[in-house]
Amino acid sequence: MILNLSSYRSLTGYFLGAFLAFATLPALAGVEEGSEKFVRSLADKAVHSLTTADTPRLERIKRFRELFRESFAATSIGKFVLGRNWRRASDDEKKEYLTLFEDLMVVTYVDRFQRYAGEALKVTKSRAENDNIATVFSEIQRPGGIKPIRVDWRIGTNGTIYKILDVIVEGTSMSNTLRSDFGSIVRRQGGKVAGLITALREKTEALKAEAQ
Amino acid sequence: MGINELVTMMVQTTFMNRDVAPMMFSRLFALLICALVMTGCATAPAPGDRDAVADFEEINDPFEPTNRGVFTVNRALDRLALKPAATVYRKGLPEFVQDRIGDILANLRSPVIFLNDVLQGEGVRAAHTLMRFVINSTLGLGGFMDMATAMDIEGHDEDFGQTLAVWGVPEGPFMMLPVFGPSNPRDTVGLVVDFLTDPLSIWAVNTDREYASFARAGVQAVDARSDTLDLLDDVEKSSLDFYAAIRSLYRQRRADAISNGKGSANFPAPGLSQSPLGPVLDDNEELSRSAFR
């Protein structure tokens, strides 16, 4: 709300708005409010740990790995991405898959995350999907009057921890895209998770070599 | 009503007395069918294998082998021509020039957007598009400057593929079109109808100035590609199967465009009771964190 204090009318509007905000506060408390707070603090952390100028890329990747472990529900996303192939995988395969998945996410999302969760992030609204999941809608402001980018954060909570389940950029979901991508590899490898792990290993090794 | 009859009907209604357009269209369609028949289709799984059948239906890409072949050719064309041109456009031209080109292209597209706003029954959006076209064509010096956005009348996009979706026409199987890229039968029909209902292309066809349409399409392609330079590089870099990632992204983008950004297939709009398709928080989430350290 833009306040124009010189106008009596907007002042009334301001008090009315403040009153309404207090009146509706109990309804807002819960999964939505907690998730909004989580996304805001995430943006702050991203600004502080990632956007310092002249930080070497490897150092930024290291810092982002910390942030990733802290704020992404990596196991939940990894399981969803694998779909029903998760059940088919052995315990060793699951473990290796999750490690490689983290590697891939960290190296490929370090730059994108900075773009989406940096200073330009403005939370617009939020919506509870159910008792444990909320969606926080945000806009990434861009200079020069270009249309802002829509980024929606799907946040999961168990009451004590909050974690990112999905990042949806202009309607495209990270988790669903990964699921199609990985699912296709498993299918083309004859339904074997081992084939996906080999492909993941090759990919992360190539990306790491590039990051050096 | 089959797709073919639907197309014939649309072509007839939009292009009465013009015999050149249906001919062009049927040629395009014939070309497409030939391409599909040449390399064959993906083999459907045995009906007994429930998981495989579910996969096959979810992916909805029966022409996958052909589509992958076309994708390879498209990528080669992109590397050879479109991407270099888009890179020069983005890095070589002053921002002011790029903005003016973008504004002119957007203004030229307004009539088609307006038509589809109307066909979708979107009164307010139609009024915005009309106002934008009038303002930008006059105050904006023939579309040269986007004055409407400065006056807080923001633009949006529409096309006939989206209109068909709003009317309830299903998208059909995934298709990788030569040159045009990812699509499906519904959006392919949309692409053709957009061309046939566009005033500039109607004028060009009727006055034997097809080159005007080609020139504009070329500039449009370069301009659009320059917007996705970083994005597509990112996707190519991070995906294991670039084709599968593009197929998924295309469908999600279309679902988002059809709902005008108000929700998509995997991200339902408020009021829809279906739960969103996505990960749920795992019970071991906290434990798994420490397992990584």
Side-chain angles (χ1 to χ4, degrees):
Chain A
M1 184 161 81
I2 299 162
L3 264 186
N4 178 2
L5 286 174
S6 66
S7 145
Y8 167 75
R9 234 156 118 209
S10 69
L11 204 60
T12 321
Y14 171 70
F15 283 123
L16 190 67
F19 172 74
L20 283 177
F22 280 114
T24 53
L25 202 58
L28 193 83
V31 57
E32 287 153 291
E33 196 192 30
S35 300
E36 272 193 35
K37 224 189 255 170
F38 170 76
V39 170
R40 287 208 180 88
S41 77
L42 194 66
D44 282 345
K45 276 184 206 156
V47 170
H48 287 122
S49 69
L50 298 174
T51 51
T52 349
D54 64 81
T55 311
R57 196 179 151 78
L58 277 180
E59 173 64 21
R60 275 200 300 128
I61 291 175
K62 215 182 111 201
R63 288 185 196 173
F64 182 64
R65 190 181 288 274
E66 290 298 309
L67 192 64
F68 179 83
R69 286 176 175 168
E70 200 180 298
S71 36
F72 278 75
T75 309
S76 316
I77 300 170
K79 265 172 100 166
F80 171 76
V81 165
L82 215 50
R84 63 170 153 271
N85 296 311
W86 176 262
R87 279 188 275 113
R88 290 183 195 155
S90 70
D91 284 353
D92 282 350
E93 282 177 336
K94 281 178 188 167
K95 218 177 132 204
E96 186 173 12
Y97 161 74
L98 286 175
T99 311
L100 289 168
F101 181 61
E102 186 194 83
D103 282 353
L104 180 75
M105 293 295 287
V106 167
V107 183
T108 56
Y109 263 84
V110 58
D111 302 314
R112 267 189 260 185
F113 194 74
Q114 209 169 328
R115 238 178 285 150
Y116 297 147
E119 263 162 301
L121 183 137
K122 203 184 104 202
V123 171
T124 53
K125 60 178 175 176
S126 58
R127 179 177 84 206
E129 306 293 355
N130 57 37
D131 290 346
N132 312 90
I133 299 178
T135 306
V136 177
F137 299 85
S138 72
E139 281 180 350
I140 309 304
Q141 312 292 321
R142 289 189 289 179
I146 313 171
K147 238 184 179 174
I149 306 172
R150 271 185 297 132
V151 180
D152 310 335
W153 306 82
R154 184 157 300 142
I155 308 298
T157 181
N158 58 11
T160 47
I161 55 162
Y162 287 86
K163 275 173 184 272
I164 299 172
L165 292 173
D166 204 354
V167 185
I168 299 128
V169 180
E170 294 280 333
T172 59
S173 137
M174 169 194 81
S175 296
N176 278 284
T177 309
L178 285 165
R179 188 175 156 109
S180 308
D181 181 5
F182 287 17
S184 178
I185 295 286
V186 175
R187 223 164 22 85
R188 289 163 76 77
Q189 303 286 343
K192 298 260 186 326
V193 176
L196 172 69
I197 289 175
T198 310
L200 263 176
R201 204 183 293 132
E202 280 165 10
K203 188 82 193 180
T204 49
E205 266 160 25
L207 286 171
K208 274 182 195 161
E210 201 190 289
Q212 296 290 332
Chain B
M1 185 165 51
I3 288 283
N4 274 323
E5 288 136 273
L6 193 73
V7 170
T8 320
M9 192 194 78
M10 275 163 197
V11 170
Q12 276 165 355
T13 45
T14 46
F15 252 75
M16 273 179 260
N17 305 328
R18 292 186 188 88
D19 46 18
V20 52
M23 206 180 75
M24 259 175 53
F25 183 70
S26 60
R27 267 191 202 158
L28 186 82
F29 219 81
L31 196 79
L32 221 96
I33 299 294
C34 283
L36 291 178
V37 170
M38 259 170 3
T39 9
C41 307
T43 32
D49 192 348
R50 275 240 208 95
D51 282 1
V53 171
D55 263 348
F56 191 74
E57 278 165 9
E58 190 191 316
I59 295 159
N60 192 13
D61 189 2
F63 312 119
E64 184 168 340
T66 307
N67 284 339
R68 281 188 188 266
V70 175
F71 186 59
T72 308
V73 175
N74 283 354
R75 278 181 76 187
L77 288 176
D78 181 59
R79 258 196 308 273
L80 282 172
L82 193 55
K83 196 177 173 187
T87 310
V88 169
Y89 177 86
R90 176 86 332 150
K91 302 206 169 118
L93 288 182
E95 219 160 282
F96 179 81
V97 177
Q98 288 180 41
D99 288 349
R100 296 298 70 78
I101 293 173
D103 287 351
I104 290 170
L105 287 173
N107 198 51
L108 285 176
R109 220 185 130 66
S110 290
V112 167
I113 297 173
F114 174 73
L115 174 70
N116 286 287
D117 283 334
V118 171
L119 291 175
Q120 292 174 30
E122 294 271 3
V124 175
R125 284 164 70 92
H128 278 179
T129 308
L130 186 62
M131 267 149 64
R132 283 179 56 82
F133 185 64
V134 171
I135 292 167
N136 287 342
S137 302
T138 54
L139 287 178
L141 312 171
F144 196 68
M145 303 284 269
D146 184 356
M147 299 302 285
T149 297
M151 294 160 79
D152 271 344
I153 309 169
E154 303 245 338
H156 61 259
D157 200 20
E158 281 299 345
D159 54 65
F160 195 69
Q162 294 184 46
T163 299
L164 287 175
V166 170
W167 290 354
V169 178
E171 62 179 342
F174 183 74
M175 280 161 61
M176 186 64 74
L177 300 180
V179 184
F180 290 95
S183 191
N184 54 50
R186 184 179 68 198
D187 291 341
T188 308
V189 170
L191 207 63
V192 174
V193 173
D194 286 339
F195 176 78
L196 298 181
T197 55
D198 183 87
L200 183 76
S201 46
I202 292 175
W203 169 81
V205 168
N206 285 342
T207 54
D208 282 330
R209 289 191 179 92
E210 279 83 357
Y211 62 85
S213 288
F214 287 124
R216 177 212 187 175
V219 177
Q220 210 160 21
V222 171
D223 180 71
R225 184 67 180 89
S226 77
D227 282 338
T228 55
L229 282 171
D230 294 340
L231 177 82
L232 284 184
D233 282 352
D234 264 359
V235 175
E236 184 171 7
K237 198 175 115 182
S238 62
S239 58
L240 300 179
D241 183 345
F242 191 31
Y243 171 84
I246 290 291
R247 181 174 62 197
S248 171
L249 285 170
Y250 177 74
R251 283 187 175 137
Q252 294 185 60
R253 289 286 292 164
R254 289 302 287 170
D256 185 65
I258 290 159
S259 74
N260 296 336
K262 291 199 182 83
S264 57
N266 60 316
F267 201 62
L272 292 184
S273 54
Q274 87 194 88
S275 60
L277 176 63
V280 286
L281 202 64
D282 196 72
D283 292 338
N284 301 321
E285 201 53 65
E286 263 171 318
L287 284 173
S288 66
R289 243 181 79 193
S290 51
F292 277 123
R293 285 174 199 275

